[in-house]
Amino acid sequence: MATVRIIPCLDVKEGSVVKGIHFENLIQAGDPVEQAAFYSKEKADEIVFLDISATIEGRKTMVDVVKKVASAVFIPLTVGGGINSIGDIEDLLKAGADKISINTAAVKNPSLIKESTDKFGSQCIVIAIDGKKVGPEKWEVYIESGKTPTGKDVVEWAKKVEKLGAGEILLTSIDMDGTQKGYDIEMTRSVSKNISIPVIASGGAGTLDHLYKVIKEGGADAILLASLLHFRKYTISEIKQYLKDKGLDVRL
């Protein structure tokens, strides 16, 4: 098994890190630059910065904030939110992003995936998939910050974005997001066993055992964390030591 990555997620709205439940009822959780710097020093493996209201508000990602975050960290930075074109991607890479996460625009214009991976490389393009359970072993893709159903099947969409060149999938369970009741193991496993590119599991972490299970049982390659870290329930070093003690390969 590859080295498991621990990735703090900075969901940013109106300049502040926020966290909610099922993508709603957001509360503030700090300054993005300060939080990013803290996690970089804590030895996070990467950081994900998501401008969660950019698409809904019909605007571009906050490039100035991304620049400040990028200058404060010494680990890979993935940026998403409001990205609709090759030009948007170029702007964010110039601002200091290492990878770009695309969600709504990828669903509306799948050719953007191939265009962007052809130009910047697969390793640079992460496709975010927000899924909601709609039946036994069935999950539907939602876009626009989890507000709009698409009719697309999560597993089939994951297989398609891999064929189009995506280098990684950021998979979030809307049902489990913010609940701290555990990841959607079933959805994660269904996606990971059908594709060969890495899957970052997101949505629902509440205990250290949840993290272990989504890797061991769900087949995830990396873990995205928000509530557990933002409210200082655990440190990154505590998480990594726990996973190492359970036999997983992590960077200490």
Side-chain angles (χ1 to χ4, degrees):
M1 179 179 282
T3 301
V4 176
R5 290 169 290 149
I6 306 301
I7 308 174
C9 181
L10 306 179
D11 287 330
V12 179
K13 184 177 183 182
E14 296 172 357
S16 294
V17 177
V18 294
K19 188 65 194 121
I21 300 176
H22 309 311
F23 291 19
E24 297 178 345
N25 303 316
L26 303 176
I27 60 172
Q28 291 200 352
D31 174 80
V33 180
E34 291 175 2
Q35 289 278 41
F38 175 79
Y39 293 134
S40 182
K41 290 175 183 174
E42 279 262 292
K43 300 295 191 290
D45 296 297
E46 300 178 18
I47 286 178
V48 169
F49 175 108
L50 300 176
D51 187 344
I52 61 171
S53 59
T55 296
I56 299 170
E57 295 169 5
R59 60 172 173 79
K60 306 298 184 187
T61 307
M62 295 178 287
V63 174
D64 55 335
V65 182
V66 172
K67 284 181 181 178
K68 292 176 183 176
V69 169
S71 66
V73 304
F74 303 95
I75 53 179
L77 173 65
T78 300
V79 176
I83 296 161
N84 293 295
S85 67
I86 294 295
D88 293 342
I89 296 172
E90 287 179 327
D91 289 344
L92 290 168
L93 292 175
K94 288 176 182 176
D98 299 283
K99 302 180 189 177
I100 302 299
S101 173
I102 311 172
N103 186 338
T104 299
V107 172
K108 291 184 174 181
N109 178 23
S111 63
L112 179 61
I113 303 173
K114 186 166 190 338
E115 290 171 19
S116 58
T117 55
D118 284 349
K119 185 173 178 64
F120 304 108
S122 290
Q123 80 290 340
C124 187
I125 304 300
V126 179
I127 300 302
I129 301 177
D130 297 334
K132 184 179 285 189
K133 193 173 183 68
V134 292
E137 297 186 21
K138 191 83 174 172
W139 301 266
E140 184 176 0
V141 176
Y142 275 63
I143 57 173
E144 296 169 340
S145 293
K147 291 179 170 53
T148 307
T150 65
K152 289 183 179 294
D153 177 77
V154 164
V155 176
E156 292 306 311
W157 177 234
K159 289 159 68 174
K160 182 171 181 178
V161 302
E162 179 180 30
K163 287 180 181 177
L164 289 169
E168 199 163 25
I169 286 176
L170 170 53
L171 181 66
T172 301
S173 166
I174 298 174
D175 300 305
M176 303 310 295
D177 174 69
T179 64
Q180 297 192 40
K181 294 179 180 178
Y183 293 91
D184 187 331
I185 301 289
E186 191 182 16
M187 181 176 75
T188 307
R189 181 170 55 240
S190 294
V191 171
S192 63
K193 74 180 183 181
N194 276 288
I195 61 174
S196 58
I197 57 177
V199 174
I200 305 169
S202 168
T207 68
L208 295 175
D209 190 52
H210 291 158
L211 312 184
Y212 174 72
K213 283 182 175 177
V214 79
I215 297 293
K216 198 69 177 174
E217 298 175 18
D221 301 274
I223 302 167
L224 198 74
L225 296 168
S227 300
L228 280 193
L229 296 177
H230 297 341
F231 304 116
R232 309 298 187 241
K233 187 172 181 179
Y234 296 108
T235 65
I236 289 171
S237 59
E238 286 172 340
I239 291 168
K240 288 189 173 186
Q241 190 61 55
Y242 175 84
L243 295 177
K244 182 175 176 61
D245 291 344
K246 296 282 279 186
L248 298 182
D249 184 17
V250 293
R251 296 185 186 90
L252 294 177

